[in-house]
Amino acid sequence: MPITEGVVEVKHKDGWAQICDLGWTPKNSRVVCGMMGFPHERKVNKSFYKHLKKRAAEKSPKAKVTKSAGRRQTAKPKANPKSKPSNSGKRLYAERQKNNFQLHSVACTGTEVHLAACPLEFNKGNSTSSCQGGMPVVVSCVPGPQFTHNAATKKKMKTTSTVRLKAGAKLGEGRVEVLKNTEWGTVCDDRWTLLSASVVCREMGFGSAKEALTGARMGQGMGPIHMNEVQCVGQEKSIWNCPFKNITSEDCQHMEDAAVRCNTPYMALENSIRITGGRTRYEGRVEVLDTASNGTQSWGLICGEGWGTMEGMVVCQQLGLGYVNHGMQETWYWDSSNVTDMILSGVKCTGNEMSLSHCQHHKTVSCQKAAAKFAAGVICSETASDLVLNAPLVQQSVYIEDRPLHMLYCAAEEDCLSQSASKANWPYGHRRLLRFSSQIHNIGRADFRPKAGRHSWVWHACHGHYHSMDIFTHYDLLNANGSKVAEGHKASFCLEDTECHEGVSKRYECANFGEQGITVGCWDLYRHDIDCQWIDITDIKPGNYILQVVINPNFEVAESDFTNNAMKCNCKYDGHRIWLHHCHVGDSFSEEAEKRFEKYPGQLNNQIS
């Protein structure tokens, strides 16, 4: 847990200096707490600190000042006002008997993002005697719910449910999205400032903003843009309390989506993990710090079995190295240290953990390939791709086709039909297919490239091209219980740029064994009339279902955001015709709207309200 209370020290020349607390206000504390990654300040029990000071002075009247360069501003232990003065508490004030006051008369308004932006005065002459009747400033901060273990406190401090950050490389950064009329949308960057960004950061349970990013620096969103020209003064509890303009499509586009980087509490998480042996600091074998029962520490390796993108994502974020590019299960080519012991296995992460130690793992190490060359590794990157499906196009293009079996030999070879097709009387009869178009956009900040090199791509003579990924999308029809009633998983026939936004050039084309991928700002279109762009519903009875499409379902290729990879639609099939409605990307609705979608009773007719 982060340190939330202590003496405030500011970097001064080669050491650290203190601030005189005469005239110090809660507004000043708010600014300091914001810098340290905390949303709010709270009152300090000054009498406790005065008592400690008095006791320490009696014991050590001639204590010397100790200044340590590189310490954080609140790097003093939190004291418990209800306990007796501890040895550490005595030392804290023994070290401060010869105070080094360099600042006084600090007068923040509370909206500043840094103490340096506040009016203040520097001491002249003898700084040790320039705070008569005062003492060093002590600040106590309230951590956000992400940084507290106490369940009751977490519940009391619940963060906003109408603002979120998406596609950031670590906790406390991302594209700003706001909830309006049960649908999430982005914020346009016109007049986007640190003041407005800080309101968002504090609302999310972080400190003030380090950066207010413009120009879709955290990737472009999809769907509506809800706000433009947001002009917060800095004191608002929510961005929704700030003046803003509702916009039209002419005013703003997603290439102008606003983002933030917030101050977050220092947790020293990077000290318990490292990567070694890589060509750059962004890649290498993962090593974790292990503390034995006798207190000795040593570095050890992680078993590569089951290691993948999600686990690599946590490592890269923990080390501050951005997004994961690859999670490696073999690292013999990065063997550069004397570390050979495998001390961790069975690591399973969701991708949201702050530290690898928060992920699931075996209680005792169990690794079939225990040699060091099979240790886990990562390649990190400052940017990542982000794929998302165009949901409205699926809804607009859906239809049913009864396709003769003699036209489906290629599709059968590609496993694009249900199992019952193998028992059909080929080439007579037909299969009933639910067909639709898929338009897959790359809204991230790096091109989407298949993990496998072109030397391992598989040639499919039937369709006359190479497959660069085993499975690129899952197409499923689910019943009300979420069970699959029909599925049509589909390999990526070929990843290429079908079309791009204005000013973006195509880079990938499948023809002539070309490079495969999807460029940032481009999309790959699988038209409804190409082979395997369907779900075989021959055996499905009439009823109400959910159509689900999941892109990159096995997380084979790293992305900045996996929560937008699934798309769902309510589906009504009457035995002759089919209707889709409420098609949406997985995280584009509010929780309440998503629950209504899941509990939807189904259509009684073909009138969609």
Side-chain angles (χ1 to χ4, degrees), residues 2 7 73 129 223 234 319 329 339 363 447 556:
V7 175
Q73 282 176 259
S129 59
L319 290 169
Q329 296 188 358
V339 178
K363 286 187 177 179
D447 293 355
E556 191 177 326

Side-chain angles (χ1 to χ4, degrees), residues 385-439:
S385 61
D386 185 14
L387 297 189
V388 62
L389 187 69
N390 183 343
L393 182 62
V394 175
Q395 189 165 319
Q396 294 160 13
S397 59
V398 69
Y399 64 96
I400 285 176
E401 179 192 10
D402 288 336
R403 194 164 182 80
L405 283 173
H406 69 82
M407 300 176 70
L408 291 171
Y409 281 105
C410 255
E413 186 183 307
E414 299 274 357
D415 286 330
C416 296
L417 302 174
S418 61
Q419 290 182 355
S420 64
S422 62
K423 300 171 185 174
N425 184 25
W426 292 76
Y428 308 104
H430 67 270
R431 303 299 292 180
R432 177 156 287 189
L433 308 175
L434 167 61
R435 308 197 69 147
F436 53 89
S437 295
S438 292
Q439 190 182 77

Side-chain angles (χ1 to χ4, degrees), residues 188-423:
C188 193
D189 64 9
D190 293 346
R191 299 197 179 187
W192 185 245
T193 65
L194 279 170
L195 288 175
S196 299
S198 290
V199 170
V200 169
C201 289
R202 290 184 190 270
E203 188 176 358
M204 296 293 300
F206 306 114
S208 50
K210 274 193 293 194
E211 293 180 80
L213 302 170
T214 58
R217 288 270 302 281
M218 291 289 177
Q220 297 184 28
M222 285 192 78
I225 301 173
H226 287 324
M227 290 181 168
N228 189 22
E229 295 190 23
V230 179
Q231 296 183 66
C232 304
V233 298
Q235 297 284 11
E236 296 88 350
K237 292 194 182 307
S238 169
I239 189 174
W240 286 105
N241 301 138
C242 303
F244 67 90
K245 287 184 179 179
N246 292 309
I247 69 162
T248 61
S249 57
E250 291 80 35
D251 294 330
C252 203
Q253 296 179 349
H254 282 297
M255 63 184 68
E256 300 169 78
D257 284 342
V260 294
R261 281 199 179 99
C262 306
N263 287 312
T264 56
Y266 180 65
M267 305 279 282
L269 296 174
E270 71 279 9
N271 296 338
S272 60
I273 193 168
R274 69 186 184 188
I275 56 176
T276 63
R279 296 161 295 182
T280 70
R281 71 187 188 94
Y282 286 91
E283 66 178 36
R285 177 180 290 169
V286 180
E287 297 179 2
V288 290
L289 192 61
D290 181 47
T291 304
S293 54
N294 62 2
T296 59
Q297 292 186 320
S298 60
W299 292 95
L301 304 175
I302 302 173
C303 179
E305 292 169 17
W307 184 265
T309 300
M310 290 303 186
E311 293 71 39
M313 184 184 295
V314 174
V315 170
C316 293
Q317 291 179 359
Q318 187 175 347
L319 290 169
L321 297 177
Y323 308 93
V324 66
N325 198 325
H326 292 299
M328 321 296 286
Q329 296 188 358
E330 291 185 24
T331 51
W332 50 268
Y333 36 80
W334 285 332
D335 188 10
S336 69
S337 71
N338 297 323
V339 178
T340 57
D341 291 339
M342 208 74 78
I343 63 170
L344 208 57
S345 65
V347 179
K348 276 293 161 203
C349 305
T350 64
N352 297 319
E353 295 87 351
M354 281 193 271
S355 166
L356 201 66
S357 62
H358 299 163
C359 300
Q360 294 180 351
H361 59 84
H362 292 156
K363 286 187 177 179
T364 55
V365 177
S366 173
C367 189
Q368 290 183 348
K369 296 179 179 178
K373 66 179 182 179
F374 297 112
V378 292
I379 301 176
C380 304
S381 173
E382 291 181 350
T383 57
S385 61
D386 185 14
L387 297 189
V388 62
L389 187 69
N390 183 343
L393 182 62
V394 175
Q395 189 165 319
Q396 294 160 13
S397 59
V398 69
Y399 64 96
I400 285 176
E401 179 192 10
D402 288 336
R403 194 164 182 80
L405 283 173
H406 69 82
M407 300 176 70
L408 291 171
Y409 281 105
C410 255
E413 186 183 307
E414 299 274 357
D415 286 330
C416 296
L417 302 174
S418 61
Q419 290 182 355
S420 64
S422 62
K423 300 171 185 174

